[in-house]
Amino acid sequence: MAKSLFEFFQWSNPKSSALSEEQTFFDENASLFNEPLSRYNDPTSLFGLIRANIVLLSLKNREYLFHFIDRLSEENLHEEKTRDAIFERLPYFLFKGKRIYVPTFSPQVNEKLYETPWVFKAFPYNALMKDRNSCLHYPFDTYGNLPFSSLFSRLVRLDVQKAPSSVFYHMGFTTLFVIDDQGNLEQEIPLKDEGLKSWPPEDLFGKLVLVMEDYFRMDKIAFLDHLEEYQLISPTFHDDAMSEILARQKKQEKRLLK
């Protein structure tokens, strides 16, 4: 049975997360998952692992911040130098101009955490410290794909003009990820098949942008040709993928003739 082009990519060029930073981080911190966020506890795919780790890092940030808020006095927390020292090494991203350190919290709670952390020592915000399952948000429903563009992941966002979804590249997995504005995976495209003799090609990111412009034009032939031309896939892989496209086209034509 002829596969779709991207089914062929993933079937013929599978990538493994074994021994990766992402897998190690997940294994060390998966116990932080709780029932409200269990929907993200799915490391069975590369994208699932990356997304799971964003949630875990959010929960790890929360525990780090709550640790200091619990132990420092309200007077200490009012000191700007103290607050700077607490937050300086934590990953965050900007959402509507505000720093988000804990994507599993709402923007309003994040604003309180960063600007007035002492309020968590008293009601009503101390309830979040007492009950770790309270007031949790699904981060991608709230923040879309912004967490993928930040230090919460090792993805690199590509500047593909006029694209309806965002494109990211992972250096370790040598894989492209197309992620929509709601943080959902649209497509996963593994590159660097076993037939390539050298990696990476010169101007890697510039070439990735060009091939993804083909992707969004839905020009599969140009997409494949440019991948080979830019040495992102091998000639053999290109030819095999082209055969899959032609076989699928013939099958569709036969259906139309019936």
Side-chain angles (χ1 to χ4, degrees), residues 6-250:
F6 297 109
E7 287 174 343
F8 174 80
F9 265 74
Q10 294 190 48
W11 180 79
S12 299
N13 188 23
K15 303 295 182 180
S16 172
S17 64
L19 303 179
S20 66
E21 290 184 24
E22 283 78 5
Q23 190 64 58
T24 299
F25 181 84
F26 179 87
D27 293 342
E28 292 176 349
N29 296 282
S31 61
L32 290 172
F33 270 117
N34 49 28
E35 182 58 32
L37 297 171
S38 60
R39 65 190 285 188
Y40 298 118
N41 188 3
D42 181 16
T44 56
S45 67
L46 296 184
F47 176 76
L49 178 62
I50 292 168
R51 185 175 61 176
N53 281 350
I54 289 173
V55 175
L56 287 175
L57 188 50
S58 173
L59 295 174
K60 195 169 183 178
N61 278 3
R62 180 192 66 176
E63 294 307 302
Y64 176 89
L65 291 171
F66 281 179
H67 169 84
F68 282 101
I69 291 171
D70 185 51
R71 284 158 178 75
L72 293 174
S73 68
E74 184 172 335
E75 183 180 359
N76 288 149
L77 291 170
H78 272 84
E79 296 173 359
E80 186 174 349
K81 289 183 179 180
T82 300
R83 298 200 305 274
D84 288 345
I86 294 172
F87 285 93
E88 66 178 352
R89 294 187 179 180
L90 295 184
Y92 70 92
F93 58 87
L94 293 178
F95 178 75
K96 297 182 179 179
K98 299 294 184 179
R99 294 190 180 199
I100 305 299
Y101 285 92
V102 184
T104 47
F105 278 153
S106 69
Q108 293 76 19
V109 172
N110 272 276
E111 184 176 358
K112 293 292 184 183
L113 270 172
Y114 180 62
E115 297 183 3
T116 57
W118 56 86
V119 303
F120 288 83
K121 299 184 76 67
F123 185 82
Y125 290 99
N126 64 343
L128 277 68
M129 296 180 63
K130 293 177 180 179
D131 181 2
R132 295 295 206 262
N133 289 344
S134 65
C135 295
L136 292 174
H137 280 233
Y138 297 139
F140 310 102
D141 293 352
T142 304
Y143 303 109
N145 60 36
L146 282 175
F148 296 99
S149 301
S150 69
L151 292 176
F152 280 87
S153 84
R154 290 201 296 155
L155 292 174
V156 178
R157 189 170 192 150
L158 303 179
D159 186 19
V160 182
Q161 297 296 312
K162 300 180 180 179
S165 300
S166 298
V167 183
F168 301 85
Y169 179 70
H170 192 287
M171 296 287 288
F173 298 146
T174 58
T175 296
L176 288 160
F177 296 89
V178 183
I179 304 175
D180 68 21
D181 291 341
Q182 288 73 49
N184 299 311
L185 179 68
E186 178 182 300
Q187 200 59 258
E188 184 175 313
I189 309 171
L191 306 175
K192 191 193 174 186
D193 61 277
E194 292 182 351
L196 278 180
K197 295 181 180 179
S198 63
W199 187 270
E202 292 183 9
D203 189 23
L204 172 63
F205 293 111
K207 290 173 179 176
L208 291 175
V209 168
L210 291 174
V211 297
M212 291 312 294
E213 289 175 354
D214 295 328
Y215 170 89
F216 287 112
R217 284 196 299 269
M218 294 188 291
D219 190 337
K220 294 180 180 179
I221 304 302
F223 178 78
L224 276 179
D225 287 348
H226 282 138
L227 283 174
E228 180 190 7
E229 179 184 345
Y230 299 151
Q231 298 178 309
L232 299 168
I233 60 173
S234 68
T236 299
F237 190 93
H238 168 275
D239 294 346
D240 290 345
M242 191 67 72
S243 296
E244 289 291 331
I245 289 177
L246 296 176
R248 194 173 179 86
Q249 286 177 348
K250 287 181 180 180

